[in-house]
Structures are given as structure tokens and as C-alpha cells.
């Protein structure tokens, strides 16, 4: 297996974990969803989306301190996405990030 095959396999596994996490999030089982988002982030070559979705799940459940931590991790993974995180922070935090 070469490097690109490994990346594709890890991305596929991450996609499956994200889908499962999204199901738990829709059932309002946030702890389970966040745990699966973290597993997805651990296998993804670029884990921004997994951490961002964990941030959203935590924000939607009112767990703002944990959401801020996940958003910070997401922005560290992909600083080009900072605008999206800044937008959410302004909506839920009432402040500009």
C-alpha cells in the first residue's frame, strides 16, 4: 500500500466515523457524537471538519467552554477556515473572536 492508498483508506474510515457521529448528534447524544468526531479527527489526514463538527455539536448543546476549545483546535488545523469559526463565535458568544 502506498501513501496515497493509506490516505484514501484513512479518509474513508474518517468519513464513516463522521457519518456515525452526525447520527448521534441528530439524536442529541452529544457526548457520543463528540467522541466519534475525535476518533475521526485522529484518523483523518486533515482533521479540521471533524473538530469543526464537534464544535458545532457542543455549541448547539450549550456547552460553550468545550465548544470554544474544539473551535480553537479546528482553527489550528486549518487557519484558512478561521472566518467560518469567527462567524459562529460572533453568533453564539456575542463577541468578535
Amino acid at each position: 500500500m502506498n501513501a496515497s492508498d493509506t490516505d484514501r483508506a484513512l479518509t474513508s474510515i474518517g468519513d464513516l466515523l463522521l457519518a456515525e457521529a452526525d447520527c448521534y448528534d441528530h439524536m442529541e447524544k452529544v457526548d457520543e457524537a463528540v467522541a466519534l468526531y475525535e476518533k475521526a479527527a485522529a484518523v483523518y489526514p486533515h482533521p479540521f471538519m471533524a473538530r469543526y463538527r464537534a464544535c458545532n455539536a457542543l455549541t448547539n448543546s450549550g456547552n460553550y467552554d468545550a465548544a470554544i476549545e474544539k473551535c480553537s483546535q479546528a482553527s489550528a488545523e486549518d487557519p484558512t477556515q478561521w472566518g467560518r469559526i469567527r462567524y459562529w463565535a460572533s453568533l453564539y458568544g456575542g463577541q468578535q473572536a
Side-chain angles (χ1 to χ4, degrees), residues 17-83:
L17 290 167
L18 273 184
E20 186 177 2
D22 288 343
C23 289
Y24 278 105
D25 187 29
H26 289 293
M27 293 186 298
E28 298 180 4
K29 294 184 176 188
V30 176
D31 292 337
E32 292 91 337
V34 170
L36 286 164
Y37 288 132
E38 281 304 306
K39 284 183 180 182
V43 298
Y44 265 133
H46 306 288
F48 167 80
M49 187 52 67
R51 297 207 194 284
Y52 178 72
R53 288 188 186 176
C55 170
N56 278 341
L58 291 163
T59 300
N60 292 338
S61 71
N63 192 343
Y64 301 116
D65 290 336
I68 289 169
E69 180 181 332
K70 291 298 174 201
C71 284
S72 295
Q73 291 172 357
S75 67
E77 294 294 338
D78 189 351
T80 65
Q81 298 293 327
W82 178 242

Side-chain angles (χ1 to χ4, degrees), residues 1 3-17 40 42-45:
M1 190 179 284
S4 66
D5 289 340
T6 301
D7 283 349
R8 278 196 300 266
L10 291 174
T11 298
S12 293
I13 292 168
D15 289 345
L16 292 170
L17 290 167
V43 298
Y44 265 133

